[in-house]
mmCIF file of all heavy atoms in Angstrom:
data_model
loop_
_atom_site.group_PDB
_atom_site.id
_atom_site.type_symbol
_atom_site.label_atom_id
_atom_site.label_comp_id
_atom_site.label_asym_id
_atom_site.label_seq_id
_atom_site.Cartn_x
_atom_site.Cartn_y
_atom_site.Cartn_z
ATOM 1 N N MET A 220 7.062 25.992 -18.705
ATOM 2 C CA MET A 220 6.736 24.778 -17.954
ATOM 3 C C MET A 220 5.253 24.790 -17.584
ATOM 4 O O MET A 220 4.722 25.817 -17.197
ATOM 5 C CB MET A 220 7.598 24.724 -16.690
ATOM 6 C CG MET A 220 8.123 23.368 -16.457
ATOM 7 S SD MET A 220 9.430 23.194 -15.182
ATOM 8 C CE MET A 220 9.405 24.680 -14.245
ATOM 9 N N ASP A 221 4.604 23.653 -17.678
ATOM 10 C CA ASP A 221 3.189 23.543 -17.341
ATOM 11 C C ASP A 221 3.009 22.595 -16.155
ATOM 12 O O ASP A 221 3.804 21.679 -15.949
ATOM 13 C CB ASP A 221 2.384 23.001 -18.531
ATOM 14 C CG ASP A 221 2.410 23.935 -19.722
ATOM 15 O OD1 ASP A 221 2.551 25.148 -19.514
ATOM 16 O OD2 ASP A 221 2.292 23.442 -20.851
ATOM 17 N N CYS A 222 1.930 22.807 -15.414
ATOM 18 C CA CYS A 222 1.588 21.922 -14.306
ATOM 19 C C CYS A 222 1.407 20.493 -14.821
ATOM 20 O O CYS A 222 0.739 20.271 -15.835
ATOM 21 C CB CYS A 222 0.304 22.409 -13.639
ATOM 22 S SG CYS A 222 -0.315 21.320 -12.354
ATOM 23 N N SER A 223 2.006 19.526 -14.107
ATOM 24 C CA SER A 223 1.932 18.133 -14.547
ATOM 25 C C SER A 223 0.522 17.571 -14.435
ATOM 26 O O SER A 223 0.209 16.548 -15.038
ATOM 27 C CB SER A 223 2.873 17.268 -13.700
ATOM 28 O OG SER A 223 4.204 17.656 -13.914
ATOM 29 N N TYR A 224 -0.314 18.234 -13.647
ATOM 30 C CA TYR A 224 -1.662 17.703 -13.471
ATOM 31 C C TYR A 224 -2.696 18.438 -14.314
ATOM 32 O O TYR A 224 -3.401 17.833 -15.111
ATOM 33 C CB TYR A 224 -2.065 17.736 -11.998
ATOM 34 C CG TYR A 224 -3.410 17.081 -11.766
ATOM 35 C CD1 TYR A 224 -3.520 15.690 -11.834
ATOM 36 C CD2 TYR A 224 -4.544 17.835 -11.514
ATOM 37 C CE1 TYR A 224 -4.752 15.082 -11.660
ATOM 38 C CE2 TYR A 224 -5.772 17.221 -11.338
ATOM 39 C CZ TYR A 224 -5.869 15.844 -11.407
ATOM 40 O OH TYR A 224 -7.082 15.248 -11.241
ATOM 41 N N CYS A 225 -2.781 19.771 -14.151
ATOM 42 C CA CYS A 225 -3.864 20.508 -14.812
ATOM 43 C C CYS A 225 -3.395 21.237 -16.070
ATOM 44 O O CYS A 225 -4.221 21.705 -16.849
ATOM 45 C CB CYS A 225 -4.519 21.482 -13.842
ATOM 46 S SG CYS A 225 -3.513 22.918 -13.440
ATOM 47 N N GLY A 226 -2.068 21.327 -16.268
ATOM 48 C CA GLY A 226 -1.560 21.939 -17.482
ATOM 49 C C GLY A 226 -1.468 23.450 -17.455
ATOM 50 O O GLY A 226 -1.169 24.068 -18.471
ATOM 51 N N SER A 227 -1.716 24.062 -16.281
ATOM 52 C CA SER A 227 -1.625 25.517 -16.184
ATOM 53 C C SER A 227 -0.195 25.989 -16.424
ATOM 54 O O SER A 227 0.763 25.306 -16.066
ATOM 55 C CB SER A 227 -2.052 25.979 -14.791
ATOM 56 O OG SER A 227 -3.430 25.838 -14.619
ATOM 57 N N ASP A 228 -0.069 27.163 -17.002
ATOM 58 C CA ASP A 228 1.238 27.772 -17.202
ATOM 59 C C ASP A 228 1.818 28.162 -15.849
ATOM 60 O O ASP A 228 1.243 28.962 -15.121
ATOM 61 C CB ASP A 228 1.089 29.000 -18.093
ATOM 62 C CG ASP A 228 2.435 29.621 -18.412
ATOM 63 O OD1 ASP A 228 3.472 29.121 -17.915
ATOM 64 O OD2 ASP A 228 2.457 30.605 -19.175
ATOM 65 N N LEU A 229 2.957 27.599 -15.492
ATOM 66 C CA LEU A 229 3.526 27.811 -14.164
ATOM 67 C C LEU A 229 4.216 29.149 -14.011
ATOM 68 O O LEU A 229 4.687 29.483 -12.929
ATOM 69 C CB LEU A 229 4.510 26.679 -13.840
ATOM 70 C CG LEU A 229 3.839 25.329 -13.609
ATOM 71 C CD1 LEU A 229 4.889 24.246 -13.444
ATOM 72 C CD2 LEU A 229 2.931 25.358 -12.400
ATOM 73 N N ALA A 230 4.282 29.935 -15.063
ATOM 74 C CA ALA A 230 4.899 31.260 -14.960
ATOM 75 C C ALA A 230 4.166 32.125 -13.946
ATOM 76 O O ALA A 230 4.752 33.013 -13.334
ATOM 77 C CB ALA A 230 4.907 31.927 -16.325
ATOM 78 N N ALA A 231 2.884 31.856 -13.738
ATOM 79 C CA ALA A 231 2.072 32.655 -12.825
ATOM 80 C C ALA A 231 2.117 32.118 -11.400
ATOM 81 O O ALA A 231 1.503 32.682 -10.505
ATOM 82 C CB ALA A 231 0.629 32.695 -13.324
ATOM 83 N N TYR A 232 2.844 31.020 -11.164
ATOM 84 C CA TYR A 232 2.827 30.367 -9.859
ATOM 85 C C TYR A 232 4.246 30.188 -9.338
ATOM 86 O O TYR A 232 5.222 30.303 -10.082
ATOM 87 C CB TYR A 232 2.177 28.979 -9.943
ATOM 88 C CG TYR A 232 0.757 28.988 -10.406
ATOM 89 C CD1 TYR A 232 0.452 28.874 -11.756
ATOM 90 C CD2 TYR A 232 -0.282 29.105 -9.491
ATOM 91 C CE1 TYR A 232 -0.859 28.880 -12.190
ATOM 92 C CE2 TYR A 232 -1.590 29.114 -9.918
ATOM 93 C CZ TYR A 232 -1.879 28.998 -11.261
ATOM 94 O OH TYR A 232 -3.171 28.999 -11.691
ATOM 95 N N GLU A 233 4.316 29.855 -8.028
ATOM 96 C CA GLU A 233 5.548 29.327 -7.458
ATOM 97 C C GLU A 233 5.417 27.821 -7.564
ATOM 98 O O GLU A 233 4.759 27.190 -6.754
ATOM 99 C CB GLU A 233 5.658 29.717 -5.977
ATOM 100 C CG GLU A 233 5.855 31.175 -5.723
ATOM 101 C CD GLU A 233 7.338 31.516 -5.560
ATOM 102 O OE1 GLU A 233 8.104 30.615 -5.204
ATOM 103 O OE2 GLU A 233 7.703 32.664 -5.815
ATOM 104 N N PRO A 234 6.015 27.219 -8.593
ATOM 105 C CA PRO A 234 5.754 25.801 -8.825
ATOM 106 C C PRO A 234 6.317 24.900 -7.724
ATOM 107 O O PRO A 234 7.369 25.178 -7.154
ATOM 108 C CB PRO A 234 6.441 25.521 -10.159
ATOM 109 C CG PRO A 234 7.436 26.605 -10.329
ATOM 110 C CD PRO A 234 6.902 27.794 -9.601
ATOM 111 N N LEU A 235 5.577 23.841 -7.438
ATOM 112 C CA LEU A 235 6.043 22.813 -6.521
ATOM 113 C C LEU A 235 6.717 21.732 -7.358
ATOM 114 O O LEU A 235 6.084 21.126 -8.217
ATOM 115 C CB LEU A 235 4.857 22.197 -5.773
ATOM 116 C CG LEU A 235 4.061 23.156 -4.899
ATOM 117 C CD1 LEU A 235 2.729 22.524 -4.529
ATOM 118 C CD2 LEU A 235 4.834 23.487 -3.647
ATOM 119 N N VAL A 236 7.989 21.516 -7.119
ATOM 120 C CA VAL A 236 8.717 20.503 -7.878
ATOM 121 C C VAL A 236 8.845 19.258 -7.018
ATOM 122 O O VAL A 236 9.301 19.319 -5.884
ATOM 123 C CB VAL A 236 10.112 21.013 -8.285
ATOM 124 C CG1 VAL A 236 10.861 19.939 -9.071
ATOM 125 C CG2 VAL A 236 9.993 22.293 -9.096
ATOM 126 N N VAL A 237 8.414 18.125 -7.559
ATOM 127 C CA VAL A 237 8.478 16.871 -6.831
ATOM 128 C C VAL A 237 9.553 15.999 -7.463
ATOM 129 O O VAL A 237 9.527 15.742 -8.662
ATOM 130 C CB VAL A 237 7.121 16.144 -6.871
ATOM 131 C CG1 VAL A 237 7.219 14.803 -6.145
ATOM 132 C CG2 VAL A 237 6.055 17.013 -6.243
ATOM 133 N N GLU A 238 10.492 15.574 -6.636
ATOM 134 C CA GLU A 238 11.550 14.690 -7.114
ATOM 135 C C GLU A 238 11.570 13.431 -6.266
ATOM 136 O O GLU A 238 11.153 13.427 -5.124
ATOM 137 C CB GLU A 238 12.915 15.379 -7.006
ATOM 138 C CG GLU A 238 13.074 16.575 -7.906
ATOM 139 C CD GLU A 238 14.432 17.231 -7.703
ATOM 140 O OE1 GLU A 238 14.947 17.186 -6.581
ATOM 141 O OE2 GLU A 238 14.959 17.781 -8.690
ATOM 142 N N ARG A 239 12.045 12.360 -6.860
ATOM 143 C CA ARG A 239 12.281 11.157 -6.072
ATOM 144 C C ARG A 239 13.624 10.593 -6.473
ATOM 145 O O ARG A 239 14.176 10.930 -7.512
ATOM 146 C CB ARG A 239 11.167 10.132 -6.277
ATOM 147 C CG ARG A 239 11.084 9.593 -7.687
ATOM 148 C CD ARG A 239 9.785 8.840 -7.890
ATOM 149 N NE ARG A 239 9.578 8.570 -9.316
ATOM 150 C CZ ARG A 239 9.648 7.343 -9.838
ATOM 151 N NH1 ARG A 239 9.913 6.323 -9.076
ATOM 152 N NH2 ARG A 239 9.466 7.161 -11.127
ATOM 153 N N GLU A 240 14.148 9.738 -5.615
ATOM 154 C CA GLU A 240 15.473 9.208 -5.863
ATOM 155 C C GLU A 240 15.356 7.810 -6.440
ATOM 156 O O GLU A 240 14.693 6.936 -5.883
ATOM 157 C CB GLU A 240 16.261 9.162 -4.544
ATOM 158 C CG GLU A 240 17.733 9.419 -4.759
ATOM 159 C CD GLU A 240 18.429 9.780 -3.458
ATOM 160 O OE1 GLU A 240 18.315 10.935 -3.046
ATOM 161 O OE2 GLU A 240 19.064 8.905 -2.874
ATOM 162 N N VAL A 241 15.985 7.603 -7.590
ATOM 163 C CA VAL A 241 15.988 6.296 -8.242
ATOM 164 C C VAL A 241 17.437 5.895 -8.465
ATOM 165 O O VAL A 241 18.159 6.534 -9.214
ATOM 166 C CB VAL A 241 15.243 6.346 -9.598
ATOM 167 C CG1 VAL A 241 15.282 4.973 -10.271
ATOM 168 C CG2 VAL A 241 13.801 6.798 -9.404
ATOM 169 N N ASP A 242 17.867 4.842 -7.787
ATOM 170 C CA ASP A 242 19.244 4.367 -7.907
ATOM 171 C C ASP A 242 20.247 5.490 -7.672
ATOM 172 O O ASP A 242 21.251 5.606 -8.369
ATOM 173 C CB ASP A 242 19.483 3.737 -9.280
ATOM 174 C CG ASP A 242 18.619 2.508 -9.493
ATOM 175 O OD1 ASP A 242 18.279 1.851 -8.494
ATOM 176 O OD2 ASP A 242 18.293 2.223 -10.650
ATOM 177 N N GLY A 243 19.960 6.337 -6.682
ATOM 178 C CA GLY A 243 20.888 7.399 -6.322
ATOM 179 C C GLY A 243 20.768 8.653 -7.162
ATOM 180 O O GLY A 243 21.414 9.650 -6.863
ATOM 181 N N ASP A 244 19.959 8.619 -8.198
ATOM 182 C CA ASP A 244 19.756 9.808 -9.032
ATOM 183 C C ASP A 244 18.435 10.465 -8.676
ATOM 184 O O ASP A 244 17.456 9.791 -8.378
ATOM 185 C CB ASP A 244 19.723 9.436 -10.523
ATOM 186 C CG ASP A 244 21.076 8.976 -11.019
ATOM 187 O OD1 ASP A 244 22.091 9.543 -10.558
ATOM 188 O OD2 ASP A 244 21.118 8.059 -11.850
ATOM 189 N N ARG A 245 18.437 11.813 -8.716
ATOM 190 C CA ARG A 245 17.188 12.524 -8.481
ATOM 191 C C ARG A 245 16.423 12.629 -9.795
ATOM 192 O O ARG A 245 16.934 13.143 -10.782
ATOM 193 C CB ARG A 245 17.472 13.912 -7.912
ATOM 194 C CG ARG A 245 18.012 13.847 -6.506
ATOM 195 C CD ARG A 245 18.450 15.199 -6.019
ATOM 196 N NE ARG A 245 17.320 16.006 -5.578
ATOM 197 C CZ ARG A 245 16.755 15.883 -4.381
ATOM 198 N NH1 ARG A 245 17.202 15.002 -3.529
ATOM 199 N NH2 ARG A 245 15.747 16.647 -4.037
ATOM 200 N N VAL A 246 15.209 12.107 -9.796
ATOM 201 C CA VAL A 246 14.368 12.112 -10.979
ATOM 202 C C VAL A 246 13.176 13.024 -10.723
ATOM 203 O O VAL A 246 12.518 12.913 -9.688
ATOM 204 C CB VAL A 246 13.866 10.688 -11.306
ATOM 205 C CG1 VAL A 246 12.907 10.712 -12.492
ATOM 206 C CG2 VAL A 246 15.037 9.768 -11.582
ATOM 207 N N GLN A 247 12.913 13.919 -11.659
ATOM 208 C CA GLN A 247 11.782 14.822 -11.475
ATOM 209 C C GLN A 247 10.485 14.086 -11.760
ATOM 210 O O GLN A 247 10.267 13.562 -12.845
ATOM 211 C CB GLN A 247 11.915 16.041 -12.391
ATOM 212 C CG GLN A 247 10.905 17.111 -12.057
ATOM 213 C CD GLN A 247 11.196 18.433 -12.761
ATOM 214 O OE1 GLN A 247 12.240 19.037 -12.574
ATOM 215 N NE2 GLN A 247 10.278 18.871 -13.583
ATOM 216 N N GLU A 248 9.645 14.056 -10.737
ATOM 217 C CA GLU A 248 8.381 13.344 -10.838
ATOM 218 C C GLU A 248 7.325 14.228 -11.496
ATOM 219 O O GLU A 248 6.487 13.763 -12.246
ATOM 220 C CB GLU A 248 7.921 12.967 -9.424
ATOM 221 C CG GLU A 248 6.692 12.118 -9.351
ATOM 222 C CD GLU A 248 6.977 10.668 -9.685
ATOM 223 O OE1 GLU A 248 8.070 10.176 -9.369
ATOM 224 O OE2 GLU A 248 6.097 10.027 -10.266
ATOM 225 N N GLY A 249 7.410 15.517 -11.221
ATOM 226 C CA GLY A 249 6.450 16.431 -11.820
ATOM 227 C C GLY A 249 6.556 17.811 -11.197
ATOM 228 O O GLY A 249 7.213 17.990 -10.181
ATOM 229 N N VAL A 250 5.925 18.775 -11.829
ATOM 230 C CA VAL A 250 5.828 20.124 -11.278
ATOM 231 C C VAL A 250 4.355 20.494 -11.214
ATOM 232 O O VAL A 250 3.577 20.162 -12.106
ATOM 233 C CB VAL A 250 6.604 21.156 -12.120
ATOM 234 C CG1 VAL A 250 8.095 20.982 -11.928
ATOM 235 C CG2 VAL A 250 6.250 21.054 -13.587
ATOM 236 N N PHE A 251 3.972 21.189 -10.146
ATOM 237 C CA PHE A 251 2.556 21.444 -9.887
ATOM 238 C C PHE A 251 2.340 22.897 -9.513
ATOM 239 O O PHE A 251 3.187 23.517 -8.873
ATOM 240 C CB PHE A 251 2.071 20.531 -8.764
ATOM 241 C CG PHE A 251 2.285 19.072 -9.079
ATOM 242 C CD1 PHE A 251 3.446 18.433 -8.696
ATOM 243 C CD2 PHE A 251 1.345 18.363 -9.803
ATOM 244 C CE1 PHE A 251 3.668 17.094 -9.012
ATOM 245 C CE2 PHE A 251 1.553 17.033 -10.129
ATOM 246 C CZ PHE A 251 2.712 16.394 -9.736
ATOM 247 N N CYS A 252 1.172 23.445 -9.893
ATOM 248 C CA CYS A 252 0.901 24.849 -9.630
ATOM 249 C C CYS A 252 0.489 25.073 -8.181
ATOM 250 O O CYS A 252 0.634 26.172 -7.661
ATOM 251 C CB CYS A 252 -0.139 25.401 -10.606
ATOM 252 S SG CYS A 252 -1.755 24.624 -10.539
ATOM 253 N N ASN A 253 -0.030 24.055 -7.521
ATOM 254 C CA ASN A 253 -0.390 24.187 -6.107
ATOM 255 C C ASN A 253 -0.547 22.803 -5.484
ATOM 256 O O ASN A 253 -0.458 21.781 -6.174
ATOM 257 C CB ASN A 253 -1.673 25.019 -5.937
ATOM 258 C CG ASN A 253 -2.853 24.394 -6.655
ATOM 259 O OD1 ASN A 253 -3.058 23.180 -6.594
ATOM 260 N ND2 ASN A 253 -3.628 25.199 -7.352
ATOM 261 N N TYR A 254 -0.779 22.796 -4.166
ATOM 262 C CA TYR A 254 -0.847 21.520 -3.462
ATOM 263 C C TYR A 254 -2.057 20.690 -3.864
ATOM 264 O O TYR A 254 -2.047 19.468 -3.781
ATOM 265 C CB TYR A 254 -0.848 21.741 -1.945
ATOM 266 C CG TYR A 254 0.518 22.076 -1.408
ATOM 267 C CD1 TYR A 254 0.852 23.380 -1.078
ATOM 268 C CD2 TYR A 254 1.481 21.075 -1.272
ATOM 269 C CE1 TYR A 254 2.117 23.693 -0.600
ATOM 270 C CE2 TYR A 254 2.744 21.378 -0.802
ATOM 271 C CZ TYR A 254 3.063 22.686 -0.470
ATOM 272 O OH TYR A 254 4.308 22.998 -0.014
ATOM 273 N N ALA A 255 -3.124 21.357 -4.310
ATOM 274 C CA ALA A 255 -4.317 20.616 -4.743
ATOM 275 C C ALA A 255 -3.982 19.736 -5.940
ATOM 276 O O ALA A 255 -4.392 18.573 -6.010
ATOM 277 C CB ALA A 255 -5.441 21.586 -5.089
ATOM 278 N N CYS A 256 -3.243 20.288 -6.895
ATOM 279 C CA CYS A 256 -2.857 19.503 -8.068
ATOM 280 C C CYS A 256 -1.887 18.397 -7.681
ATOM 281 O O CYS A 256 -1.977 17.279 -8.179
ATOM 282 C CB CYS A 256 -2.233 20.409 -9.128
ATOM 283 S SG CYS A 256 -3.463 21.351 -10.053
ATOM 284 N N LEU A 257 -0.976 18.707 -6.769
ATOM 285 C CA LEU A 257 -0.039 17.681 -6.314
ATOM 286 C C LEU A 257 -0.796 16.532 -5.657
ATOM 287 O O LEU A 257 -0.578 15.362 -5.966
ATOM 288 C CB LEU A 257 0.944 18.311 -5.317
ATOM 289 C CG LEU A 257 1.866 17.352 -4.582
ATOM 290 C CD1 LEU A 257 2.710 16.538 -5.547
ATOM 291 C CD2 LEU A 257 2.763 18.114 -3.619
ATOM 292 N N SER A 258 -1.732 16.875 -4.778
ATOM 293 C CA SER A 258 -2.515 15.873 -4.072
ATOM 294 C C SER A 258 -3.363 15.053 -5.042
ATOM 295 O O SER A 258 -3.446 13.829 -4.936
ATOM 296 C CB SER A 258 -3.405 16.566 -3.045
ATOM 297 O OG SER A 258 -4.292 15.646 -2.466
ATOM 298 N N ALA A 259 -3.980 15.722 -6.002
ATOM 299 C CA ALA A 259 -4.820 15.030 -6.976
ATOM 300 C C ALA A 259 -3.981 14.076 -7.820
ATOM 301 O O ALA A 259 -4.401 12.968 -8.135
ATOM 302 C CB ALA A 259 -5.525 16.044 -7.865
ATOM 303 N N ARG A 260 -2.793 14.528 -8.182
ATOM 304 C CA ARG A 260 -1.895 13.697 -8.978
ATOM 305 C C ARG A 260 -1.478 12.446 -8.211
ATOM 306 O O ARG A 260 -1.428 11.345 -8.744
ATOM 307 C CB ARG A 260 -0.658 14.523 -9.364
ATOM 308 C CG ARG A 260 0.438 13.749 -10.050
ATOM 309 C CD ARG A 260 0.087 13.369 -11.474
ATOM 310 N NE ARG A 260 1.246 12.787 -12.142
ATOM 311 C CZ ARG A 260 1.624 11.521 -11.997
ATOM 312 N NH1 ARG A 260 0.920 10.710 -11.243
ATOM 313 N NH2 ARG A 260 2.696 11.076 -12.612
ATOM 314 N N ILE A 261 -1.211 12.622 -6.923
ATOM 315 C CA ILE A 261 -0.824 11.483 -6.089
ATOM 316 C C ILE A 261 -1.979 10.496 -6.004
ATOM 317 O O ILE A 261 -1.797 9.286 -6.117
ATOM 318 C CB ILE A 261 -0.407 11.963 -4.678
ATOM 319 C CG1 ILE A 261 0.936 12.693 -4.772
ATOM 320 C CG2 ILE A 261 -0.316 10.784 -3.718
ATOM 321 C CD1 ILE A 261 1.330 13.417 -3.499
ATOM 322 N N ASP A 262 -3.193 11.014 -5.819
ATOM 323 C CA ASP A 262 -4.361 10.138 -5.754
ATOM 324 C C ASP A 262 -4.542 9.384 -7.066
ATOM 325 O O ASP A 262 -4.803 8.185 -7.090
ATOM 326 C CB ASP A 262 -5.620 10.951 -5.464
ATOM 327 C CG ASP A 262 -5.683 11.415 -4.019
ATOM 328 O OD1 ASP A 262 -4.892 10.913 -3.200
ATOM 329 O OD2 ASP A 262 -6.522 12.271 -3.719
ATOM 330 N N ASP A 263 -4.400 10.105 -8.183
ATOM 331 C CA ASP A 263 -4.568 9.475 -9.490
ATOM 332 C C ASP A 263 -3.573 8.348 -9.703
ATOM 333 O O ASP A 263 -3.898 7.292 -10.225
ATOM 334 C CB ASP A 263 -4.369 10.524 -10.597
ATOM 335 C CG ASP A 263 -5.648 11.274 -10.905
ATOM 336 O OD1 ASP A 263 -6.612 11.116 -10.138
ATOM 337 O OD2 ASP A 263 -5.674 11.995 -11.914
ATOM 338 N N ALA A 264 -2.336 8.607 -9.326
ATOM 339 C CA ALA A 264 -1.275 7.644 -9.583
ATOM 340 C C ALA A 264 -1.235 6.557 -8.515
ATOM 341 O O ALA A 264 -0.466 5.614 -8.619
ATOM 342 C CB ALA A 264 0.068 8.376 -9.651
ATOM 343 N N GLU A 265 -2.052 6.715 -7.465
ATOM 344 C CA GLU A 265 -2.074 5.777 -6.348
ATOM 345 C C GLU A 265 -0.686 5.572 -5.781
ATOM 346 O O GLU A 265 -0.274 4.461 -5.473
ATOM 347 C CB GLU A 265 -2.701 4.440 -6.776
ATOM 348 C CG GLU A 265 -4.154 4.622 -7.177
ATOM 349 C CD GLU A 265 -4.849 3.303 -7.491
ATOM 350 O OE1 GLU A 265 -4.132 2.318 -7.741
ATOM 351 O OE2 GLU A 265 -6.075 3.273 -7.454
ATOM 352 N N LEU A 266 0.043 6.689 -5.671
ATOM 353 C CA LEU A 266 1.414 6.616 -5.173
ATOM 354 C C LEU A 266 1.455 6.225 -3.702
ATOM 355 O O LEU A 266 2.490 5.820 -3.196
ATOM 356 C CB LEU A 266 2.113 7.971 -5.358
ATOM 357 C CG LEU A 266 2.287 8.422 -6.805
ATOM 358 C CD1 LEU A 266 2.954 9.786 -6.843
ATOM 359 C CD2 LEU A 266 3.122 7.427 -7.591
ATOM 360 N N THR A 267 0.311 6.362 -3.021
ATOM 361 C CA THR A 267 0.295 6.026 -1.604
ATOM 362 C C THR A 267 -0.076 4.576 -1.372
ATOM 363 O O THR A 267 -0.090 4.109 -0.250
ATOM 364 C CB THR A 267 -0.709 6.920 -0.847
ATOM 365 O OG1 THR A 267 -1.974 6.839 -1.504
ATOM 366 C CG2 THR A 267 -0.244 8.358 -0.818
ATOM 367 N N SER A 268 -0.387 3.829 -2.431
ATOM 368 C CA SER A 268 -0.793 2.434 -2.239
ATOM 369 C C SER A 268 0.147 1.470 -2.954
ATOM 370 O O SER A 268 -0.242 0.407 -3.384
ATOM 371 C CB SER A 268 -2.233 2.222 -2.725
ATOM 372 O OG SER A 268 -2.347 2.587 -4.078
ATOM 373 N N GLY A 269 1.382 1.863 -3.104
ATOM 374 C CA GLY A 269 2.372 0.996 -3.733
ATOM 375 C C GLY A 269 2.860 -0.085 -2.795
ATOM 376 O O GLY A 269 2.431 -0.185 -1.658
ATOM 377 N N GLU A 270 3.785 -0.866 -3.277
ATOM 378 C CA GLU A 270 4.270 -2.013 -2.514
ATOM 379 C C GLU A 270 4.930 -1.603 -1.213
ATOM 380 O O GLU A 270 4.945 -2.369 -0.262
ATOM 381 C CB GLU A 270 5.260 -2.819 -3.359
ATOM 382 C CG GLU A 270 4.562 -3.587 -4.470
ATOM 383 C CD GLU A 270 5.557 -4.423 -5.258
ATOM 384 O OE1 GLU A 270 6.636 -4.701 -4.719
ATOM 385 O OE2 GLU A 270 5.242 -4.769 -6.401
ATOM 386 N N ALA A 271 5.491 -0.390 -1.191
ATOM 387 C CA ALA A 271 6.197 0.061 0.001
ATOM 388 C C ALA A 271 5.250 0.174 1.199
ATOM 389 O O ALA A 271 5.687 0.147 2.332
ATOM 390 C CB ALA A 271 6.861 1.411 -0.256
ATOM 391 N N CYS A 272 3.949 0.314 0.928
ATOM 392 C CA CYS A 272 2.996 0.490 2.003
ATOM 393 C C CYS A 272 2.206 -0.782 2.305
ATOM 394 O O CYS A 272 1.289 -0.771 3.101
ATOM 395 C CB CYS A 272 2.010 1.608 1.644
ATOM 396 S SG CYS A 272 2.806 3.217 1.545
ATOM 397 N N VAL A 273 2.568 -1.879 1.654
ATOM 398 C CA VAL A 273 1.838 -3.120 1.899
ATOM 399 C C VAL A 273 2.110 -3.603 3.321
ATOM 400 O O VAL A 273 3.245 -3.685 3.762
ATOM 401 C CB VAL A 273 2.265 -4.200 0.882
ATOM 402 C CG1 VAL A 273 1.641 -5.550 1.248
ATOM 403 C CG2 VAL A 273 1.848 -3.792 -0.515
ATOM 404 N N TRP A 274 1.038 -3.923 4.020
ATOM 405 C CA TRP A 274 1.141 -4.372 5.395
ATOM 406 C C TRP A 274 1.189 -5.896 5.416
ATOM 407 O O TRP A 274 0.300 -6.559 4.853
ATOM 408 C CB TRP A 274 -0.069 -3.852 6.170
ATOM 409 C CG TRP A 274 -0.045 -4.207 7.626
ATOM 410 C CD1 TRP A 274 1.003 -4.083 8.486
ATOM 411 C CD2 TRP A 274 -1.125 -4.745 8.395
ATOM 412 N NE1 TRP A 274 0.645 -4.494 9.732
ATOM 413 C CE2 TRP A 274 -0.640 -4.907 9.710
ATOM 414 C CE3 TRP A 274 -2.444 -5.095 8.097
ATOM 415 C CZ2 TRP A 274 -1.461 -5.414 10.720
ATOM 416 C CZ3 TRP A 274 -3.247 -5.587 9.107
ATOM 417 C CH2 TRP A 274 -2.758 -5.747 10.417
ATOM 418 N N THR A 275 2.233 -6.442 5.986
ATOM 419 C CA THR A 275 2.373 -7.893 6.013
ATOM 420 C C THR A 275 2.444 -8.360 7.454
ATOM 421 O O THR A 275 3.530 -8.550 8.015
ATOM 422 C CB THR A 275 3.639 -8.328 5.247
ATOM 423 O OG1 THR A 275 4.755 -7.591 5.753
ATOM 424 C CG2 THR A 275 3.497 -8.080 3.762
ATOM 425 N N PRO A 276 1.284 -8.555 8.064
ATOM 426 C CA PRO A 276 1.241 -8.871 9.503
ATOM 427 C C PRO A 276 1.859 -10.220 9.854
ATOM 428 O O PRO A 276 2.144 -10.480 11.022
ATOM 429 C CB PRO A 276 -0.270 -8.866 9.816
ATOM 430 C CG PRO A 276 -0.934 -9.076 8.499
ATOM 431 C CD PRO A 276 -0.037 -8.462 7.479
ATOM 432 N N ASP A 277 2.091 -11.093 8.892
ATOM 433 C CA ASP A 277 2.652 -12.408 9.188
ATOM 434 C C ASP A 277 4.142 -12.380 9.453
ATOM 435 O O ASP A 277 4.708 -13.338 9.971
ATOM 436 C CB ASP A 277 2.366 -13.384 8.027
ATOM 437 C CG ASP A 277 0.886 -13.696 7.932
ATOM 438 O OD1 ASP A 277 0.175 -13.508 8.935
ATOM 439 O OD2 ASP A 277 0.450 -14.127 6.846
ATOM 440 N N GLU A 278 4.789 -11.260 9.098
ATOM 441 C CA GLU A 278 6.230 -11.203 9.268
ATOM 442 C C GLU A 278 6.626 -10.838 10.689
ATOM 443 O O GLU A 278 5.963 -10.047 11.320
ATOM 444 C CB GLU A 278 6.834 -10.214 8.282
ATOM 445 C CG GLU A 278 6.899 -10.813 6.887
ATOM 446 C CD GLU A 278 7.567 -9.875 5.892
ATOM 447 O OE1 GLU A 278 7.992 -8.770 6.276
ATOM 448 O OE2 GLU A 278 7.632 -10.245 4.703
HETATM 449 ZN ZN1 ZN B 923 -2.129 22.555 -11.604
#
């Protein structure tokens, strides 16, 4: 298994496995060699700026 972000061989690490739930099923989002890669991957994918975080002050 390789890191989803940097491609490092995870045999040398305690991999961080990220899963999310889609329609009740757990889907593996990625595996990462450390939190830096996880954080970078989140920034790249803009996972923090999706529709779930849209602020709608008129409601
Ligand atoms: Zn990595």
Side-chain angles (χ1 to χ4, degrees):
M220 223 168 15
D221 296 332
C222 175
S223 296
Y224 185 73
C225 72
S227 288
D228 184 358
L229 290 174
Y232 300 91
E233 292 265 336
L235 298 165
V236 180
V237 178
E238 294 178 328
R239 65 193 168 111
E240 213 163 280
V241 179
D242 297 332
D244 291 323
R245 291 173 80 81
V246 176
Q247 190 169 299
E248 185 77 34
V250 287
F251 303 91
C252 62
N253 60 43
Y254 283 103
C256 282
L257 171 58
S258 173
R260 173 73 172 81
I261 289 170
D262 286 347
D263 274 10
E265 297 185 341
L266 296 178
T267 53
S268 58
E270 288 182 21
C272 294
V273 173
W274 182 47
T275 52
D277 292 339
E278 283 183 1

